Amino acid sequence: MFNTLKKIFKGNATSSFQSVVNEINNLESDIRNLSDEDLKRESAALKNSLGEQVSLDNILPRAFALVREASRRTLGQRHFDSQIIGGIVLHKGRIAEMMTGEGKTLSATTAAYLNALSGKGVHVVTVNDYLARRDASWMGQIYNALGLTVSCIVHNTAYRYDSSFESGGLDKERDELGNFKVVENFLRPISRKDAYLADITYGTNHEFGFDFLRDNLALRLNDKVQREHNYVIIDEVDSILIDEARTPLIIASPDQESSSFYKVFATVSKNLQPEEDYLVDEKLKSVSITDSGIEKVEKMLKITNIYSPESARLVHFLQESLKAKALFNRDKEYIVKNGEIIIVDEFTGRLLQGRRYSGGLHQAIEAKEGVQVKDENRTYAQITIQNYFRLYKKISGMTGTAQTSAEEFHKVYNLEVVVVPTNRPMVRHDAPDVVYKNKKAKYQAIVEEVKKRHEKGQPILLGTSSISNNEIISDYLKHAGIVHEVLNAKNNEKEGAIIAQAGRSGAITVATNVAGRGVDIVLGGNPATTEEARRVVESGGLHVIGTERHEARRIDNQLRGRSGRQGDAGGTQFFLSLEDDLLRIFGGDKIGRLMDSFNLPEDLPIESRMVSSAVNQAQARVEGANLDLRKHLLEFDDVLNKQRTAVYKRRLNYLELGEKNEIRSILEEALKHFVDENIKNIGLNPEVDLTDRDKKVSELNDKLQGIPKEFERERSVAVAEHMVRILDMLWIGNLENLEALRESVNIRAYGQHEPLVEYRKEAFKLFQELSFNFESMLFNTVFEVLGADIEKLKNPVVVVQKPRDVKEPGRNDPCWCGSGKKHKKCHGK
């Protein structure tokens, strides 16, 4: 069996996959004869059989056959052979590229079940809370039938699947999105910690990632919720591991003194002129101020030199305000709703509620738009999506569009992409792109195309990449008297109802990327009558019109994928213009010269494979640039990740030893190192009197010997908490130092210094400094904790004097004592 699986992954030969599928199919009749109780007994037997002689690969055929039968009985859905192949790909730690409508959710159950039999837990990552709840309820019935526990983690709460909560079972009708309706009371609220103890846990990447960060801010082991990171299946893997990989997950708290500065600089930047006072690079998405701009800024602020040390923070405010003005546009990158700036996900078109741009950019946009400027945040913990998922021993994923990013998956995550064959042949017709000289001609051509197809009753989906373009297309259709539905992040609460009718005869839907992922449009509408479905098929099926190309080919392919699901009829075509951002910035000149050579009028397009090829080349250049950018960011974050791993390992060790009442060994080790370092440093200073040196060494050694041999458990725990508080406070400061270092090393590139090399070197020095300061603060404060009354230890702040070698923190910085409070509310009172 294992050799067969090895052969499969040397290539994508269907025959190799089929041999494993045949073995699973051959078990089907025997397993179908088992009773419901027998299914659970078989499942338990498989779990108990695992050991040194029996691996997951050995039991794969029988495990997959059990899942298929459990699904047939509970959901009325039997896995297609293609879905079985998808499950094998996932189990082997690969990415399964499966076309739209092929049933990825059901396919993942086989791999999730098999790996959960190891007892180490499986995480299934979805792109939103709704899908996490839906899949835990829906797929939970399969796992429950096989004796496994299932849970889901969503914002602010967690649930476990509980079959005793059923009231009427699963509704066999479909909901507005075309999925089986699920009874929500399958899900019983539980603690987050219990949710992570389930065999299979569903949730979003943000919830999993933030729980990891919160666990590493916890002061008690009991407050941690996650267990080991064993195996993860990531749905829409390209969206999560690539699109969202630019923005790290950050836990922060407000810094109250910066908001007024952003208001000032919003006014300052408003009075600066592009080209004259600042330059914008749209390819690199950067903005830089000119000498003329600097003079104007200094004059408006009434200062002589904005780059002087005392004005250093002002440069930060200016830079973020210029970025907000020049690079971030309302109704494209963000919207203003109820007095708040809400980010629009450029890849999905959805609103990212609660998410904020970091580094002061969000405050700069708030000031620009005249809404309340919220406090800038101070980072307490952060991790990139890449480095969070690298914690898992095995990663796998599934999507309809992975092949165009196969290189990045391999380089960053060591993941191979395997294309899974479709259950039925695809008959969708993808027509070549048509390119017009300007947007007006393009929009008019789109209207004519919509009219022509609407007259024969064909349903049409028009895809746009931003809310503003979405509304422009809608205005053109209204002006032509064409009735249509509009779907974007501003009205996505109507998403289900709109998508449910998007496949009806003659329906016209204008949508952003909201309709581009995880959505099945049923021909004839949902629910569809046989007669209406037949009419839609005869009219040509769903026709998708792309109104512009996205920077990533995957996003275009997702839009195409709304049509032609499960062998349905359909077609797609993109309408472009030389004024579109992609062509204007990255490829317009070449195609423009081509059009000029044909001497064509504005309303006559070029429609040829050659033009489509030129557009694809432009996209490939952008994708290459974005890959380099993410790779560059990851190289820097890898330096931070090594430090984070070391700090988190150290703080966990302290907490564990505190619980075990074994803290003395850690204190001895840390304080001995501090004594040795002091002796070395004293010895290196020729001005130190030998008598003073010997006295200092003797004093340090006396304190070291004064550590009690044994502690009460409460005191041991308190000492461990105290150590962790100090470490956390220094780590927070280190994160800020590393962020400032990132900015400074990029400037050093002008001096022929390699930024990454400089960053590694300086970051190492900062980490050494963190370690020494930790030991210094520990040495100067721990004896107060050791001598304090047990009752006082219940209040974590122990009143001690600040060590002379520790720098005085700012008023809003964490206090040096490790209490976790701001300095002004602790020892700075």
Side-chain angles (χ1 to χ4, degrees):
M1 173 62 196
F2 184 71
N3 289 333
T4 306
L5 286 171
K6 280 176 69 177
K7 286 177 190 174
I8 286 175
F9 295 102
K10 286 181 179 176
N12 287 350
T14 306
S15 57
S16 299
F17 285 104
Q18 198 58 51
S19 61
V20 185
V21 174
N22 289 343
E23 191 172 349
I24 296 165
N25 290 344
N26 290 338
L27 295 168
E28 190 164 12
S29 57
D30 289 343
I31 287 178
R32 187 164 289 191
N33 290 327
L34 298 174
S35 68
D36 290 349
E37 285 305 310
D38 287 339
L39 280 184
K40 286 186 177 177
R41 277 193 284 270
E42 281 279 329
S43 181
L46 282 181
K47 186 173 185 176
N48 293 333
S49 72
L50 290 171
E52 290 184 10
Q53 303 300 318
V54 180
S55 69
L56 292 177
D57 287 329
N58 297 139
I59 65 171
L60 184 150
R62 196 159 193 84
F64 276 39
L66 285 173
V67 173
R68 177 187 264 173
E69 178 58 21
S71 176
R72 189 188 68 81
R73 292 185 190 185
T74 57
L75 304 184
Q77 292 182 302
R78 176 188 175 276
H79 291 66
F80 302 135
D81 285 2
S82 59
Q83 290 171 316
I84 293 291
I85 291 170
I88 298 171
V89 173
L90 294 173
H91 164 64
K92 296 306 291 181
R94 274 37 173 209
I95 291 173
E97 179 173 282
M98 300 177 70
M99 291 291 292
T100 305
E102 291 296 305
K104 296 191 298 293
T105 305
L106 191 62
S107 182
T109 56
T110 51
Y113 167 74
L114 174 63
N115 284 269
L117 291 176
S118 68
K120 296 176 182 176
V122 171
H123 293 170
V124 184
V125 178
T126 64
V127 291
N128 58 49
D129 282 351
Y130 162 72
L131 291 176
R133 285 195 305 269
R134 184 203 73 179
D135 293 352
S137 300
W138 189 18
M139 301 298 115
Q141 294 166 95
I142 298 174
Y143 306 125
N144 182 66
L146 295 170
L148 296 189
T149 55
V150 185
S151 66
C152 70
I153 302 283
V154 294
H155 188 57
N156 288 333
T157 190
Y159 303 93
R160 72 176 168 88
Y161 178 89
D162 187 341
S163 59
S164 67
F165 268 33
E166 287 187 47
S167 58
L170 189 71
D171 191 332
K172 298 302 180 186
E173 292 183 13
R174 293 176 179 265
D175 63 18
E176 292 175 329
L177 291 175
N179 301 311
F180 281 113
K181 288 182 180 176
V182 226
V183 179
E184 277 290 317
N185 61 9
F186 278 154
L187 300 178
R188 180 198 291 271
I190 56 170
S191 73
R192 238 168 160 74
K193 190 166 189 172
D194 285 340
Y196 279 108
L197 292 173
D199 295 311
I200 298 165
T201 304
Y202 286 85
T204 65
N205 54 306
H206 295 112
E207 294 302 314
F208 286 126
F210 281 125
D211 280 343
F212 168 75
L213 292 177
R214 282 189 285 265
D215 275 358
N216 285 287
L217 290 172
L219 292 173
R220 297 285 176 108
L221 289 179
N222 272 345
D223 294 334
K224 292 169 72 74
V225 297
Q226 287 189 343
R227 51 176 173 157
E228 64 181 323
H229 294 81
N230 176 45
Y231 173 55
V232 63
I233 299 173
I234 307 171
D235 193 9
E236 306 296 1
V237 65
D238 50 335
S239 174
I240 290 171
L241 292 191
I242 294 180
D243 297 342
E244 298 200 26
R246 297 181 189 179
T247 309
L249 303 174
I250 296 173
I251 290 179
S253 68
D255 177 7
Q256 298 167 356
E257 297 175 353
S258 61
S259 59
S260 59
F261 282 105
Y262 286 107
K263 296 174 186 175
V264 171
F265 277 91
T267 304
V268 168
S269 59
K270 196 173 182 179
N271 291 309
L272 298 179
Q273 302 302 316
E275 301 302 323
E276 179 186 338
D277 300 325
Y278 61 90
L279 303 174
V280 178
D281 189 324
E282 291 186 274
K283 288 186 180 180
L284 297 178
K285 295 182 179 175
S286 65
V287 58
S288 55
I289 193 162
T290 64
D291 290 340
S292 166
I294 292 169
E295 286 180 22
K296 286 184 181 178
V297 170
E298 289 172 344
K299 190 174 180 180
M300 283 186 273
L301 296 177
K302 297 179 181 177
I303 59 176
T304 54
N305 181 10
I306 194 172
Y307 290 102
S308 64
E310 61 270 21
S311 300
R313 284 194 82 193
L314 301 184
V315 178
H316 165 72
F317 297 127
L318 173 62
Q319 185 67 23
E320 296 308 311
S321 298
L322 278 176
K323 280 166 64 178
K325 176 187 177 182
L327 297 174
F328 289 80
N329 305 292
R330 186 170 179 162
D331 288 344
K332 187 176 181 185
E333 282 80 19
Y334 64 90
I335 67 167
V336 181
K337 187 175 183 180
N338 299 327
E340 286 192 42
I341 304 298
I342 304 177
I343 302 171
V344 177
D345 189 324
E346 65 173 303
F347 300 102
T348 67
R350 298 183 188 279
L351 295 181
L352 299 177
Q353 298 282 0
R355 294 278 294 277
R356 292 175 65 82
Y357 294 115
S358 60
L361 176 60
H362 211 95
Q363 287 78 8
I365 295 173
E366 287 170 332
K368 164 190 162 185
E369 294 291 350
V371 302
Q372 180 191 354
V373 180
K374 295 184 179 176
D375 296 332
E376 194 169 355
N377 286 330
R378 186 155 198 246
T379 301
Y380 276 30
Q382 73 175 67
I383 191 168
T384 58
I385 294 290
Q386 293 101 318
N387 278 318
Y388 173 72
F389 282 109
R390 283 169 163 183
L391 294 170
Y392 288 89
K393 293 173 184 172
K394 184 166 75 173
I395 312 175
S396 66
M398 49 191 182
T399 179
T401 49
Q403 200 61 45
T404 54
S405 300
E407 178 188 0
E408 184 164 359
F409 282 126
H410 177 70
K411 284 183 177 177
V412 176
Y413 302 99
N414 195 29
L415 283 170
E416 304 299 328
V417 175
V418 177
V419 179
V420 177
T422 57
N423 183 47
R424 294 176 183 164
M426 190 162 54
V427 296
R428 185 186 73 217
H429 174 62
D430 297 328
D433 299 349
V434 288
V435 184
Y436 292 81
K437 278 192 174 181
N438 55 52
K439 287 185 178 180
K440 182 180 177 182
K442 176 183 77 171
Y443 293 144
Q444 288 172 340
I446 288 172
V447 169
E448 292 305 314
E449 181 74 8
V450 170
K451 278 182 181 176
K452 182 181 74 175
R453 293 185 178 276
H454 180 64
E455 284 172 3
K456 63 177 184 176
Q458 188 170 16
I460 302 163
L461 174 68
L462 295 104
T464 65
S465 66
S466 69
I467 296 170
S468 55
N469 287 344
N470 180 267
E471 292 172 345
I472 289 170
I473 292 284
S474 177
D475 287 342
Y476 268 87
L477 294 174
K478 283 177 188 172
H479 191 261
I482 299 173
V483 178
H484 60 281
E485 290 282 356
V486 174
L487 176 59
N488 59 43
K490 288 183 177 180
N491 71 335
N492 65 347
E493 66 278 358
K494 299 178 182 176
E495 177 183 349
I498 293 173
I499 290 298
Q501 304 307 318
R504 294 195 67 178
S505 179
I508 300 169
T509 310
V510 183
T512 59
N513 295 335
V514 163
R517 190 184 283 278
V519 174
D520 278 354
I521 297 176
V522 180
L523 297 190
N526 187 21
T529 65
T530 306
E531 176 57 28
E532 185 160 17
R534 183 188 61 76
R535 285 204 308 270
V536 171
V537 171
E538 288 177 354
S539 71
L542 178 68
H543 188 71
V544 171
I545 296 176
T547 61
E548 57 198 307
R549 286 279 202 146
H550 199 279
E551 286 187 359
R553 285 170 292 172
R554 291 180 296 102
I555 312 301
D556 294 338
N557 291 339
Q558 285 157 14
L559 179 61
R560 289 190 195 276
R562 299 312 100 206
S563 176
R565 59 184 291 281
Q566 281 289 319
D568 284 344
T572 70
Q573 188 168 32
F574 280 80
F575 284 65
L576 315 175
S577 91
L578 295 182
E579 293 178 347
D580 293 349
D581 288 347
L582 178 74
L583 297 182
R584 179 176 56 80
I585 300 170
F586 296 97
D589 290 345
K590 180 177 180 181
I591 299 174
R593 287 194 299 271
L594 185 65
M595 293 188 79
D596 288 340
S597 68
F598 285 105
N599 197 26
L600 295 172
E602 285 189 354
D603 61 349
L604 194 64
I606 287 183
E607 182 177 348
S608 73
R609 295 288 178 187
M610 183 167 59
V611 174
S612 295
S613 174
V615 173
N616 286 333
Q617 286 173 12
Q619 286 180 306
R621 283 198 295 275
V622 182
E623 287 170 359
N626 287 338
L627 170 57
D628 290 341
L629 176 64
R630 287 190 293 266
K631 186 169 175 286
H632 181 69
L633 289 172
L634 187 59
E635 286 171 342
F636 277 87
D637 191 65
D638 281 343
V639 177
L640 169 60
N641 195 52
K642 286 179 182 175
Q643 295 190 8
R644 176 174 46 237
T645 302
V647 167
Y648 285 178
K649 183 177 180 182
R650 187 189 289 191
R651 80 186 303 285
L652 178 62
N653 189 34
Y654 294 163
L655 293 177
E656 286 177 341
L657 290 173
E659 291 282 350
K660 295 176 184 175
N661 201 3
E662 296 175 8
I663 204 72
R664 190 179 196 278
S665 59
I666 293 291
L667 286 175
E668 283 183 335
E669 182 184 341
L671 300 184
K672 185 175 187 308
H673 184 262
F674 179 67
V675 169
D676 293 344
E677 285 297 305
N678 268 278
I679 292 172
K680 185 169 68 177
N681 291 336
I682 293 169
L684 292 174
N685 188 347
E687 297 180 7
V688 174
D689 184 89
L690 289 178
T691 306
D692 289 341
R693 186 199 69 180
D694 292 342
K695 183 180 176 183
K696 179 73 171 174
V697 170
S698 175
E699 182 183 316
L700 292 172
N701 277 314
D702 285 345
K703 284 195 171 185
L704 186 61
Q705 296 303 316
I707 299 175
K709 299 295 181 188
E710 292 184 8
F711 305 117
E712 310 96 320
R713 185 178 176 279
E714 292 93 335
R715 194 179 305 275
S716 178
V717 169
V719 171
E721 283 187 24
H722 182 72
M723 295 169 73
V724 164
R725 286 181 188 277
I726 294 173
L727 185 60
D728 286 349
M729 185 266 288
L730 291 170
W731 175 240
I732 291 166
N734 192 58
L735 286 175
E736 291 182 340
N737 291 338
L738 289 173
E739 184 61 35
L741 178 62
R742 273 288 302 275
E743 294 178 7
S744 69
V745 295
N746 286 327
I747 296 172
R748 297 183 202 180
Y750 293 109
Q752 305 302 310
H753 293 281
E754 171 58 43
L756 184 59
V757 173
E758 292 286 303
Y759 183 74
R760 284 176 178 151
K761 184 170 64 178
E762 297 294 330
F764 179 68
K765 290 179 183 176
L766 286 173
F767 195 67
Q768 283 185 311
E769 189 178 315
L770 179 152
S771 297
F772 182 77
N773 285 339
F774 170 74
E775 290 162 358
S776 171
M777 292 177 72
L778 180 64
F779 195 87
N780 283 282
T781 63
V782 74
F783 293 97
E784 294 284 342
V785 183
L786 294 176
D789 291 338
I790 293 292
E791 285 304 310
K792 286 184 180 178
L793 290 178
K794 292 176 182 176
N795 177 354
V797 180
V798 180
V799 180
V800 291
Q801 297 299 311
K802 181 180 76 66
R804 284 173 295 178
D805 50 356
V806 173
K807 184 181 175 183
E808 185 73 20
R811 282 176 51 73
N812 288 306
D813 292 337
C815 189
W816 55 267
C817 73
S819 67
K821 294 184 178 181
K822 286 188 176 182
H823 183 56
K824 66 185 179 185
K825 293 185 177 179
C826 192
H827 281 84
K829 278 186 180 179

